Amino acid sequence: MKSAPTSNGGGVPVVIRGLHKSLAGQPVLCGVDLAIEPGEIFVIMGPSGSGKSVLLRHIIGLTSPDAGEVLIGGESIQSPSVRDRIRMAMVFQSGALLNSLTVAENVGLYLREHALLPPAQIDARVAEKLAAVGLTGQEDKLPGELSGGMKKRVAIARALVVEPQLLLYDEPTSELDPMMAATVSREIVALQRRLHVTSIIVSHDRDLAFGIAHRLAIIREGRILCVGTPEAVRALPDAGVREFLDANFKHA
Amino acid sequence: MFFQDIGQAVLLFCRALRQWPAVWRERQKVWEQLHEIGNASLFMACLLAFFIGGVLALQTGPVMSDRGVSNFIGGMVGLAMCKELGPVMMAVLISGRIGSAMAAEIGSMQVYQEIDALRTMNIDPVRYLVLPRLVAIVVGLPLLVLFAVVVGWMGGALVCMSNPEINLTYNGYMNSLSNMVRVGDVANGLIKSIAFAVVIGVVSCHQGLNTIGGPRGVGRSVTKAVVNSIVMILMLDYVLTRLMIRL
Ligand SMILES: Nc1ncnc2c1ncn2[C@@H]1O[C@H](COP(=O)(O)OP(=O)(O)OP(=O)(O)O)[C@@H](O)[C@H]1O
Ligand SMILES: [Mg+2]
């Protein structure tokens, strides 16, 4: 059967070249170029509305660009066979859980649909991943009965279960308390260590970004402002970068 | 717009056909959908068919009795029910009850990015969502039509027996019916209903998958699914009747 690859062959490189996209007549991405190494944790930061979610949708092939291309492991994401060859997963900003399935069914969906494991082992794997995001005992709830942060954690568990070669996270910690955010960050790093997965994380969370990123990029109005290691980016004198990174709540 | 929708729906049908080998794997979902169809429409179908059969007898019975051809009433009601009214009325009912639900469910999955999530997991939405619904309706609608036809015949019989202006007994009605209605006529109606089921399933799933915008988009998709289905059913009904006229 045409299905997902049965084993994880390690992280894949991602190359983004000259990506342009206009939505509803407005330019959203204006020439994005990035090269992400296999097994890298790459964080993308940027102000709200700067096109981060749209960029992630292009990387995983949900939206096709007006110009430019995305290569996953050397193959265009738009080619039909790439998904059969490379395991990918994405944590959507809204979670995007299937509302008619329970938490456990959502998390086990990938394994079940591709018949990768016998049912008993799927249940065990699901329980393990739910435990990793602190949701033991919530297996039989429906997404409608969960809080925003719980939905996000189920979505993360659903992505972890895939054991992907490329994993995209859209603001994985935005709705979580600081402790849970730290747990999730640890899981992201643990998965990367264990499977050498290429992780692309969109986040506003500066602790997460500077804590776990191998490299990070800052995007603004559809353009990449800078790319580099956390130390390098922190040391940049560029005013736009500084303004974004140093923003703080101050009493007037 | 209408013709573009039809073209895209035909493409969707072809994609669903290519997934045909996966039907056995999706049997659980097919079963659930069949249940849905049965639960939502069995009672309504019964009620509708009974009254249609009854009113057919009521409209034609007195006139035919006056002209001394009351022994044709059973056959007339029988043929009208199984060749035309059974398949068409059930298809209209099902597009309102099941087609709308399909468009709404798939449409809201589209709006809430659930379909995007399926695609990132390399789960083909056509296999996961469209195929089970299509198979269920193609199996379910003919069964429902068969049931409705029999109920409609009974409705006609009851009216003939109980109405003094119609000069016909139950046995007379049934004899007339069994003399004029052949198995082929019932099959004719069932073939139509299979075609209608494909139309409802494909059009509704297509509208659902093509939903854009928020809840309002879902509402638009549901309306279009039902209206387009009914229009296509009535047009197709003429074409199929013409093709099968001497069958
Ligand atoms: N489907 C769409 N149709 C039209 N415009 C869109 C669509 N999706 C996004 N946009 C526009 O693209 C721009 C970037 O949106 P995007 O969702 O990528 O922002 P973001 O960087 O993820 O912001 P946030 O941090 O708030 O999630 C916004 O101006 C938005 O209005
Ligand atoms: Mg976003």
Side-chain angles (χ1 to χ4, degrees):
Chain A
M1 205 205 91
K2 181 176 90 109
S3 179
T6 45
S7 71
N8 184 319
V12 285
V14 176
V15 175
I16 302 163
R17 278 202 211 114
L19 216 56
H20 284 264
K21 181 74 178 179
S22 297
L23 286 169
Q26 281 206 326
V28 177
L29 298 178
C30 317
V32 174
D33 294 283
L34 284 173
I36 297 155
E37 306 293 326
E40 189 172 18
I41 296 182
F42 193 91
V43 173
I44 300 172
M45 301 178 82
S48 182
S50 55
K52 305 182 298 295
S53 297
V54 173
L55 178 60
L56 282 193
R57 289 178 64 84
H58 280 86
I59 296 176
I60 199 126
L62 290 173
T63 314
S64 50
D66 295 340
E69 58 181 355
V70 174
L71 303 177
I72 310 283
E75 196 177 345
S76 166
I77 184 67
Q78 297 295 338
S79 93
S81 64
V82 69
R83 287 175 201 282
D84 298 330
R85 211 162 57 74
I86 295 167
R87 278 201 198 190
M88 292 177 258
M90 172 157 168
V91 178
F92 285 80
Q93 191 164 7
S94 61
L97 302 176
L98 301 198
N99 282 309
S100 52
L101 301 185
T102 64
V103 166
E105 286 168 339
N106 261 294
V107 176
L109 187 66
Y110 181 86
L111 300 175
R112 208 171 51 245
E113 284 299 317
H114 294 292
L116 294 175
L117 289 177
Q121 285 185 40
I122 292 180
D123 292 345
R125 184 81 73 82
V126 167
E128 176 196 326
K129 296 303 172 193
L130 282 176
V133 294
L135 284 175
T136 305
Q138 313 284 340
E139 281 87 350
D140 295 327
K141 285 200 174 151
L142 287 170
E145 299 163 353
L146 302 179
S147 74
M150 288 162 91
K151 278 186 204 159
K152 199 58 147 299
R153 284 184 278 156
V154 176
I156 291 168
R158 182 172 73 176
L160 296 178
V161 156
V162 176
E163 309 219 311
Q165 293 162 273
L166 172 64
L167 184 39
L168 311 185
Y169 303 85
D170 199 344
E171 313 210 1
T173 59
S174 61
E175 284 159 310
L176 305 183
D177 59 82
M179 267 155 33
M180 196 40 79
T183 307
V184 165
S185 315
R186 270 200 303 278
E187 278 301 318
I188 294 173
V189 174
L191 193 73
Q192 190 274 335
R193 293 244 167 86
R194 194 157 58 84
L195 300 171
H196 206 61
V197 51
T198 308
S199 315
I200 304 178
I201 306 169
V202 161
S203 183
H204 299 300
D205 182 342
R206 281 173 285 187
D207 293 341
L208 173 84
F210 287 95
I212 70 173
H214 297 152
R215 285 191 304 155
L216 58 83
I218 294 180
I219 183 172
R220 188 162 189 168
E221 288 166 6
R223 288 188 182 79
I224 302 288
L225 281 188
C226 63
V227 184
T229 60
E231 296 75 36
V233 169
R234 215 197 292 268
L236 278 178
D238 182 280
V241 176
R242 291 261 56 81
E243 190 188 353
F244 181 74
L245 292 182
D246 296 341
N248 247 323
F249 177 77
K250 293 193 196 77
H251 285 287
Chain B
M1 266 324 268
F2 181 66
F3 291 102
Q4 190 186 345
D5 281 342
I6 292 180
Q8 288 177 352
V10 169
L11 283 181
L12 179 64
F13 182 53
C14 295
R15 282 175 63 198
L17 277 187
R18 244 181 294 147
Q19 297 285 347
W20 174 251
V23 166
W24 181 246
R25 280 187 55 207
E26 304 290 340
R27 59 188 182 278
Q28 179 76 33
K29 289 193 211 97
V30 173
W31 185 243
E32 281 165 19
Q33 290 294 325
L34 265 174
H35 254 264
E36 192 107 336
I37 294 175
N39 277 341
S41 30
L42 212 52
F43 177 70
M44 282 294 286
C46 196
L47 209 64
L48 199 68
F50 193 81
F51 277 94
I52 290 175
V55 85
L56 266 179
L58 196 60
Q59 289 275 18
T60 56
V63 186
M64 289 169 90
S65 295
D66 287 349
R67 284 161 182 71
V69 286
S70 59
N71 53 332
F72 286 120
I73 297 173
M76 218 275 328
V77 173
L79 281 179
M81 218 42 229
C82 72
K83 290 181 85 167
E84 180 64 32
L85 288 168
V88 172
M89 295 309 277
M90 286 307 117
V92 169
L93 174 72
I94 287 295
S95 61
R97 288 214 77 146
I98 303 298
S100 59
M102 286 181 183
E105 196 178 354
I106 296 180
S108 74
M109 291 182 76
Q110 177 70 52
V111 167
Y112 293 113
Q113 295 184 315
E114 293 178 34
I115 297 202
D116 289 340
L118 287 176
R119 284 167 62 198
T120 62
M121 287 188 276
N122 201 20
I123 298 170
D124 184 352
V126 175
R127 196 203 81 210
Y128 187 83
L129 296 170
V130 178
L131 185 69
R133 285 171 172 76
L134 200 56
V135 171
I137 198 169
V138 166
V139 172
L141 186 57
L143 289 177
L144 202 66
V145 167
L146 201 60
F147 170 75
V149 165
V150 174
V151 172
W153 289 347
M154 293 303 130
L158 191 76
V159 167
C160 287
M161 282 157 60
S162 59
N163 197 304
E165 300 202 17
I166 304 172
N167 181 17
L168 195 64
T169 62
Y170 176 78
N171 281 339
Y173 177 90
M174 276 303 165
N175 277 338
S176 154
L177 196 150
S178 54
N179 274 338
M180 279 176 71
V181 179
R182 296 163 308 144
V183 175
D185 294 322
V186 179
N188 182 316
L190 294 185
I191 291 171
K192 274 187 180 178
S193 72
I194 290 174
F196 297 160
V198 170
V199 167
I200 298 169
V202 172
V203 167
S204 306
C205 291
H206 168 252
Q207 288 300 339
L209 287 173
N210 271 35
T211 304
I212 37 169
R216 234 178 156 166
V218 177
R220 251 194 321 265
S221 293
V222 171
T223 314
K224 273 180 90 175
V226 175
V227 172
N228 288 6
S229 297
I230 293 178
V231 169
M232 284 188 64
I233 286 166
L234 295 179
M235 296 196 312
L236 194 63
D237 182 45
Y238 181 85
V239 175
L240 289 176
T241 306
R242 185 71 194 80
L243 288 177
M244 298 195 293
I245 203 156
R246 280 288 163 215
L247 241 54

